[in-house]
Amino acid sequence: MTAPRTIGIGILGLGTVGQGVWKHLTEKQTDLESRLGVKLDLRRVAVRDLKKKRAVKVPSTKTTRDPLEVVDDPKVHVVCELIGGTTIARELTLRALRAGKVVVSANKALLCQHGPEIFDAVRRHGGQFLFEASVAGGIPIIKAIREGLVANRFELIVGILNGTCNHILTRMGEDSLSFADALKEAQQLGYAETDPTLDIDGIDAFHKASILAWLAHGKWAPRARTLVEGIRNIGPADIDFARRFGFALKHLAVIRRDFKAGWMTVGVYPALVPNRDILARVSGVNNGITLRGDVVGATTLTGRGAGGDATASAVIGDIVDAIAALTGAANPGLSAESLAAREQLGRQVRMANLDEIVSPFYLRLSLLDKAGVSEGIYRIFSKHKVSIARVIQYEHPNQGRGTVTLSTYPVNEAKMSKVLTELRRLKTVLEEPVVLRIFSPES
Ligand code: NAP
Ligand code: HSE
């Protein structure tokens, strides 16, 4: 069969995740098409309520209340199941797979409860089931285990897998919000499940842990053999204890494997994590997963674990993989088309000029110990409109010199370079200034 040059995409559900997928697929369509060397046809979107107000505009000719119009459309090759739950979502997923289609899913409950049935349908009918978005939002953890870390056996996988729980615990701990208010906020931000008890009772994290355990060890963990605890009982006193004694209170999923003894354990529960552990610093909606592999050692991935945009990133990654498989492209990231698209992109890019590169700076100056020296220094900063944020002066009695350390507010490289040139000319500056940029991902 010749590979289709136009790939039809159907979306089931236009809620938090569905809208994120629509938004970013339409925004990136041209770029994706040139990378993949195919046309993308965003054909049909199924919703429950056609009249609902949404953040994205989908032409009414493309929306339907009948999800079968999406699944059964012969021109839809990739079906994105973003409805959730395990009833209609199961029926639609199996129907699409039995027609040999690709299903891209964010539905961890469905995969955890019906994984064997789903993969049986994949095997029998030659379709695909891709589920990157089902665990840890935008973090490509499934791909990491399946591909990048394939050389490893994992004795430990430990992670924060529920964004809602982490958001609640962070807001209670850092901002003294009540449990109820923090949960409400997580719901408003689109992090929580339609039924938020799945989040706060640990069931959503269990679904995700079970998927990771299956992926890493080939075994579905039965719920009855898994410790599943949520965060309902956590109160301010618990968070206070953690803070006082050097811990962070986190909701963890822990998958241990003893290769010698042959056992695996899966547990999800709130735990005290020592502050020195990287997971203790994963806050808000972020998720973090540490994998201890026998080859790579410990590797941690962190990033946004819930929300429309982060989850859309994972769904679109799967769509691209699916299209690569459908069209026979070996590696969508490095195909001839994608290299050509990058070259084209590169022609629109220039390197930034020095007056466009901005950051706060730190300086250490070794100065002659004499009245008026500091004023001379500050005059140079003020002449170039560089504002000083903090200053510390160190005196070195009887040495005839002092040290000044200071930080600036954000300033561009060109201005800072002028300040430094003038500082170097001063006889009162005794050594080459030590200059450090104060790094922040935002600047
Ligand atoms: P959501 O906001 O509740 O959206 C569900 C969508 O499904 C709605 O647009 C709804 O239509 C539609 N729908 C429900 N029943 C339908 C039916 N019978 N036919 C057609 N459409 C129907 O849920 P979500 O947060 O986007 O989650 C979707 C899935 O992604 C779930 O499996 C969830 O676990 C998973 N997930 C969510 C996140 C997240 O951060 N939210 C992250 C990762 C994975 P109406 O809008 O018309 O009511
Ligand atoms: N409700 C889930 C969470 C969505 O809060 O982590 C992401 O799977």
Side-chain angles (χ1 to χ4, degrees), residues 17-28:
V17 182
Q19 291 184 76
V21 170
W22 179 271
K23 173 172 184 264
H24 294 291
L25 258 185
T26 48
E27 277 176 17
K28 303 273 160 52

Side-chain angles (χ1 to χ4, degrees), residues 72-384:
D72 292 347
D73 181 340
K75 290 191 171 160
V76 167
H77 307 97
V78 179
V79 175
C80 302
E81 190 279 289
L82 308 171
I83 289 179
T86 54
T87 50
I88 184 167
R90 173 176 162 270
E91 285 162 28
L92 297 171
T93 296
L94 291 174
R95 190 173 175 111
L97 291 175
R98 286 174 186 147
K101 301 195 177 196
V102 178
V103 175
V104 171
S105 175
N107 194 333
K108 51 268 167 157
L110 179 70
L111 178 53
C112 178
Q113 287 174 30
H114 299 285
E117 188 182 26
I118 287 170
F119 288 111
D120 185 54
V122 169
R123 265 191 298 274
R124 281 174 191 268
H125 302 280
Q128 278 193 79
F129 182 80
L130 301 174
F131 51 96
E132 185 63 69
S134 68
V135 184
I139 303 173
I141 182 65
I142 306 292
K143 213 174 180 117
I145 295 179
R146 263 192 355 208
E147 298 178 18
L149 299 172
V150 71
N152 292 269
R153 298 202 305 175
F154 301 102
E155 61 174 22
L156 174 70
I157 299 174
V158 52
I160 294 165
L161 297 184
N162 186 272
T164 300
C165 285
N166 209 39
H167 177 85
I168 292 172
L169 293 174
T170 305
R171 294 286 274 148
M172 285 173 75
E174 291 181 5
D175 308 303
S176 304
L177 235 67
S178 71
F179 185 96
D181 284 348
L183 170 59
K184 206 157 136 202
E185 200 176 66
Q187 289 179 288
Q188 281 161 355
L189 290 165
Y191 302 156
E193 296 300 301
T194 312
D195 170 7
T197 60
L198 294 173
D199 297 293
I200 60 178
D201 289 336
I203 298 154
D204 178 75
F206 160 69
H207 291 150
K208 293 165 176 168
S210 164
I211 293 169
L212 293 186
W214 168 72
L215 207 58
H217 306 304
K219 183 167 181 65
W220 290 103
R223 170 83 189 272
R225 300 289 304 274
T226 306
L227 176 63
V228 180
E229 288 176 6
I231 60 166
R232 271 181 208 263
N233 295 332
I234 302 296
D238 311 314
I239 292 171
D240 188 49
F241 177 95
R243 194 178 13 236
R244 280 170 196 251
F245 293 100
F247 297 100
L249 214 163
K250 295 289 172 194
H251 189 259
L252 291 186
V254 184
I255 303 158
R256 290 186 193 279
R257 174 81 202 267
D258 186 322
F259 288 96
K260 271 201 192 122
W263 54 251
M264 163 178 108
T265 65
V266 177
V268 298
Y269 40 78
L272 295 172
V273 180
N275 279 339
R276 63 175 180 279
D277 193 296
I278 193 165
L279 293 181
R281 294 190 293 278
V282 172
S283 62
V285 70
N286 289 306
N287 284 187
I289 304 136
T290 297
L291 304 111
R292 202 186 297 152
D294 58 344
V295 182
V296 72
T299 296
T300 302
L301 290 96
T302 69
R304 275 194 286 166
D309 291 338
T311 313
S313 169
V315 170
I316 294 170
D318 273 353
I319 293 174
V320 167
D321 276 356
I323 293 171
L326 286 171
T327 57
N331 182 334
L334 293 173
S335 64
E337 286 91 347
S338 112
L339 292 174
R342 269 204 183 77
E343 231 176 85
Q344 168 76 13
L345 219 60
R347 279 189 218 109
Q348 300 155 26
V349 181
R350 64 175 176 80
M351 299 307 291
N353 297 318
L354 287 182
D355 59 3
E356 294 168 305
I357 306 171
V358 175
S359 78
F361 281 77
Y362 160 93
L363 265 76
R364 170 157 55 82
L365 301 171
S366 180
L367 301 178
L368 194 67
D369 188 11
K370 212 172 109 186
V373 168
S374 304
E375 285 70 20
I377 303 287
Y378 300 144
R379 251 199 306 279
I380 293 175
F381 280 83
S382 139
K383 176 177 158 195
H384 293 287

